[in-house]
Amino acid sequence: MATTERKPLLLDFEKPLAELATRIDQIRQLAEENGVDVSGQIRQLEARAMQLREEIFSSLSPSQRLQVARHPRRPSTLDYIQAISDEWMELHGDRCGGDDPALVGGVGRLCGQPVVMLGHQKGRDTKDNIARNFGMPYPGGYRKAMRLMEHANKFSMPILTFIDTPGAWSGVEAEHQGQGEAIAYNLREMFCLDVPIICTVIGEGGSGGALGIGVGDRLLMFEHSVYTVATPEACAAILWKDAAKAPQAAVALKIISHDLKKLGIIDQILPEPTGGAHSDPLKAATTLKQVLLENLDELNRLTAPERRQLRYEKFRKIGVFTEVAH
């Protein structure tokens, strides 16, 4: 059976890389057709391509990082769970009448240690995205997440959450079902859990939809992920009545990992492969697994009261500001 490789989905700023790759392929093909050895020149061009990729991805603007975070082939919650866990069993249902596919979770083992893992789940294509509601959970999704976290707490299993959503679903039906209450309940209850909680922003962390599973002892973030109170498009529409000013809003919102680390919002930045996590998902998963194990080792040494107190203090420090006299 013939197989075909998937064509890469290029972002606007990646076009120079694609042009250089095309040029290398053309030179290689011409050399083969004419029996000419151009291996030296090809090596130089490949080195230049690698250098150019590093230059581009080391200087991305906030709006460009947002594009990377939203890349359709960026690894999802289920991708990471399958890559890092020894065993995995997905659990379904909120015990209130439904099962939200936009938020998945279950029990598994991480290097032999029983854990509960849960997170937002986007789709890979239009059909899958519709089925997953583009990773925007209904209230039932957050109630399912809380049920799983309470299960983890009962059986002394650490909780690992993976954040990747534009935000909680804001439709009328979600409001009828108590969207705000479901998220607020999670925020309150996660502060009270005895077990270690590690939250990781793996893609797009948007608004209360991200916060609903984002209260933890550690908040990690992949290098090219974003974490924000509102999408830049929404912010621009509210402040300037013009969604075209989203790039300006992305800068003002401080949505990227390095800004959030300086502000004390996140605890650790996870480096991504050159070109983003989607360029080498297995390498990204290896990095994630290593960092999770390191943080779990530290948190497991603390008592439950110590973890709760440190969790409380961590979030009390967020929002501190200094007034500058003019």
Side-chain angles (χ1 to χ4, degrees):
M1 182 182 293
T3 59
T4 57
E5 293 185 2
R6 293 192 305 173
K7 292 183 178 180
L9 296 175
L10 295 174
L11 302 173
D12 291 341
F13 55 84
E14 291 181 296
K15 289 180 179 178
L17 292 171
E19 292 170 358
L20 187 53
T22 300
R23 182 181 171 191
I24 292 172
D25 289 339
Q26 289 174 343
I27 292 174
R28 183 179 286 114
Q29 184 177 352
L30 286 171
E32 290 176 356
E33 291 174 353
N34 295 282
V36 180
D37 182 12
V38 293
S39 55
Q41 293 90 324
I42 289 178
R43 281 196 296 271
Q44 289 178 354
L45 288 172
E46 288 176 339
R48 171 55 187 153
M50 179 59 70
Q51 181 185 4
L52 181 59
R53 182 178 294 274
E54 291 175 353
E55 290 173 357
I56 289 174
F57 277 86
S58 64
S59 59
L60 295 177
S61 68
S63 60
Q64 289 172 331
R65 287 182 189 265
L66 180 60
Q67 291 181 55
V68 177
R70 290 174 173 172
H71 197 286
R73 292 180 185 164
R74 191 170 178 84
S76 68
T77 291
L78 288 176
D79 291 330
Y80 282 123
I81 288 175
Q82 294 290 346
I84 70 175
S85 61
D86 309 326
E87 299 177 59
W88 162 249
M89 178 183 292
E90 185 174 353
L91 301 177
H92 299 272
D94 62 354
R95 299 301 184 263
C96 294
D99 179 51
D100 189 350
L103 203 154
V104 299
V107 294
R109 291 183 185 275
L110 185 66
C111 283
Q113 181 176 5
V115 293
V116 164
M117 294 180 277
L118 57 98
H120 305 101
Q121 181 63 35
K122 294 179 177 178
R124 281 283 177 239
D125 51 35
T126 302
K127 183 179 179 180
D128 195 19
N129 260 319
I130 292 173
R132 299 279 185 184
N133 200 33
F134 295 85
M136 296 183 288
Y138 280 80
Y142 293 101
R143 294 185 177 117
K144 175 171 69 172
M146 196 67 243
R147 180 178 74 82
L148 296 178
M149 289 188 277
E150 288 171 347
H151 177 85
N153 199 56
K154 181 178 180 179
F155 293 100
S156 300
M157 293 187 286
I159 298 167
L160 309 177
T161 76
F162 304 104
I163 298 168
D164 186 18
T165 180
W169 179 242
S170 57
V172 174
E173 185 179 356
E175 295 301 321
H176 284 170
Q177 295 173 10
Q179 186 70 284
E181 182 274 340
I183 293 174
Y185 182 84
N186 281 22
L187 296 177
R188 185 188 71 187
E189 294 302 308
M190 289 183 78
F191 276 106
C192 303
L193 298 175
D194 294 329
V195 296
I197 308 173
I198 302 177
C199 310
T200 307
V201 183
I202 61 173
E204 183 179 9
S207 193
L211 288 175
I213 58 170
V215 176
D217 306 298
R218 298 281 194 277
L219 179 56
L220 316 177
M221 188 172 178
F222 269 107
E223 180 183 2
H224 297 309
S225 294
V226 297
Y227 198 37
T228 174
V229 68
T231 64
E233 294 87 352
C235 177
I238 293 168
L239 292 182
W240 297 291
K241 304 294 187 289
D242 182 6
K245 291 192 175 182
Q248 183 177 341
V251 174
L253 283 168
K254 304 295 183 184
I255 66 175
I256 66 173
S257 58
H258 297 285
D259 285 338
L260 293 167
K261 183 71 167 61
K262 290 178 184 177
L263 291 170
I265 306 297
I266 65 169
D267 299 300
Q268 189 173 350
I269 299 172
L270 279 59
E272 296 189 24
T274 304
H278 60 279
S279 68
D280 193 344
L282 289 179
K283 185 176 181 180
T286 299
T287 299
L288 175 62
K289 184 175 183 178
Q290 179 181 349
V291 174
L292 288 175
L293 289 171
E294 290 171 356
N295 280 275
L296 272 178
D297 184 54
E298 293 177 10
L299 293 171
N300 282 330
R301 297 174 189 173
L302 304 175
T303 64
E306 287 173 336
R307 281 193 293 265
R308 290 197 305 269
Q309 183 61 31
L310 290 173
R311 197 181 302 157
Y312 173 79
E313 292 174 358
K314 167 183 168 59
F315 281 85
R316 288 293 292 175
K317 292 176 183 177
I318 292 175
V320 175
F321 63 93
T322 303
E323 291 187 0
V324 179
H326 294 284

